Amino acid sequence: MLHLKYQKKIKKKFGNYIENARENLKSEGLDKKYIFKESLFSQIKLLGIVWILGCTVIASFTIYVLMIYKGFLLGYIITIIISVFGVKNGIEFLAPTVILKNIIFLPIVFLLATSGIRMYKGIVRKESNIKLEFLRHTIVMLVSIIFAIIISCIDAYFSPIMLQFL
């Protein structure tokens, strides 16, 4: 019983938060440069953590935990939004905000994570040149940053336009 009461309270607070954000978006607009910077910073922070972990001995275990955490968070966000707005309105809200960004970002993070795990395994098994593996891993990181810039542009300039039509 307590769980259901707490869940309703979260739904109500989250629903109010989203509705206030929607109204502010329609009336005041958004600082798109700020959104771009924040989006880019959060994505580069995650990519940087994955890149650094790929260069360390604890790479494989920690990267797996980080990916599970990211997946759990994404699933929780989607579940809450759909439970607050319903399936149709929830998907309409999620498509330009969460889903579009993550369709591009998650494969990039997985690519970087795979590169880090591959580098780790190559170093541990002494099958490959450390410098070559490090260079390959760094190139994958740079490509990931380019995609993070594209995703941040989508977050800052495309998603707010799409949200105004909801």
Side-chain angles (χ1 to χ4, degrees), residues 9 23 26 33 40 54 76 78 85 92 95 117-118 120-121 136 144 146 151 160 163 165:
K9 189 185 246 186
E23 288 178 23
K26 290 179 181 177
K33 288 182 183 178
L40 187 62
Y76 183 75
I78 290 171
F85 292 117
E92 286 175 354
I117 292 168
R118 181 178 172 194
Y120 165 73
K121 287 182 178 179
R136 187 178 299 146
S144 300
I146 292 169
I151 294 165
L163 283 176
F165 293 114

Side-chain angles (χ1 to χ4, degrees), residues 3-96:
H3 181 271
L4 184 61
K5 191 168 149 184
Y6 183 68
Q7 188 177 15
K8 287 181 181 180
K9 189 185 246 186
I10 289 174
K11 282 183 182 180
K12 184 178 178 183
K13 284 184 178 183
F14 187 74
N16 291 338
Y17 174 77
I18 295 296
E19 287 304 318
N20 289 338
R22 273 184 174 173
E23 288 178 23
N24 287 339
L25 175 66
K26 290 179 181 177
S27 64
E28 299 172 15
L30 296 171
D31 184 6
K32 293 179 181 178
K33 288 182 183 178
Y34 176 77
I35 293 172
F36 176 80
K37 288 178 187 176
E38 287 298 312
S39 175
L40 187 62
F41 176 72
S42 80
Q43 292 171 28
I44 288 180
K45 183 172 60 173
L46 179 63
L47 292 172
I49 290 170
V50 172
W51 183 80
I52 288 170
L53 289 173
C55 297
T56 63
V57 176
I58 58 170
S60 61
F61 173 73
T62 314
I63 289 174
Y64 290 135
V65 169
L66 191 62
M67 294 297 102
I68 290 169
Y69 174 74
K70 179 73 175 162
F72 176 78
L73 247 108
L74 184 61
Y76 183 75
I77 290 169
I78 290 171
T79 302
I80 288 291
I81 289 175
I82 287 178
S83 70
V84 167
F85 292 117
V87 175
K88 182 180 182 272
N89 293 335
I91 291 175
E92 286 175 354
F93 179 80
L94 286 167

Side-chain angles (χ1 to χ4, degrees), residues 130-143:
I130 294 174
K131 291 179 184 178
L132 180 64
E133 288 296 327
F134 183 76
L135 179 64
R136 187 178 299 146
H137 187 55
T138 303
I139 289 171
V140 171
M141 174 63 175
L142 294 175
V143 169

